[in-house]
Amino acid sequence: QVHLVESGGGLVQAGGSLRLSCSASGLTFSSYHIGWFRQAPGKEREYVLGVSRSGLTTYYLDSIKGRFTISRDNTKNTAYLEMNSLKLEDTAVYYCAAAAQVVTTDESDYDYWGQGTQVTVSS
């Protein structure tokens, strides 16, 4: 059975940093593209950025450019989302997801999802 588990969320002041982790089990992690999505209150879920099988960053949301970075460690079956200079508008539930077939921003292409971790940015 496949599991993706996000961790590292929490409450942080604006301008602060958080590092989210996405730990995977039950799948060949290195064969999957990993995407991070987020859903703010009252809004639809949106793609933030992703990391390809080989570790290249793929497709990113303009609003996080220069502030968020993504990485993966295939030996630990874990992907990371480093978030710096956090803004109030970054408040959301953050999800990681795994896609086997394509490198994509479309959530319907993702095969597995985590349960999400809450990130709250305060002023």
Side-chain angles (χ1 to χ4, degrees):
Q1 191 170 4
V2 175
H3 292 285
L4 298 179
V5 179
E6 302 94 337
S7 60
L11 176 64
V12 62
Q13 286 191 324
S17 300
L18 282 175
R19 187 195 198 201
L20 305 184
S21 298
C22 172
S23 298
S25 61
L27 76 170
T28 305
F29 183 73
S30 59
S31 297
Y32 286 78
H33 168 77
I34 302 298
W36 283 95
F37 293 76
R38 69 184 182 185
Q39 186 167 21
K43 296 186 177 181
E44 293 186 353
R45 188 158 56 188
E46 62 181 358
Y47 182 88
V48 179
L49 77 173
V51 60
S52 70
R53 298 166 185 79
S54 60
L56 297 177
T57 301
T58 60
Y59 308 105
Y60 47 82
L61 193 64
D62 284 347
S63 64
I64 58 89
K65 195 181 303 185
R67 299 189 296 121
F68 290 13
T69 57
I70 189 170
S71 61
R72 67 190 296 162
D73 186 340
N74 288 337
T75 66
K76 296 182 179 179
N77 289 352
T78 302
Y80 304 96
L81 179 63
E82 187 78 34
M83 305 186 294
N84 299 308
S85 302
L86 282 162
K87 302 177 180 180
L88 297 179
E89 54 264 39
D90 294 320
T91 295
V93 178
Y94 283 72
Y95 300 87
C96 68
Q101 299 300 320
V102 294
V103 175
T104 177
T105 63
D106 186 345
E107 64 177 71
S108 67
D109 290 326
Y110 285 80
D111 303 289
Y112 304 106
W113 290 82
Q115 82 289 348
T117 186
Q118 176 70 47
V119 171
T120 302
V121 184
S122 65
S123 59

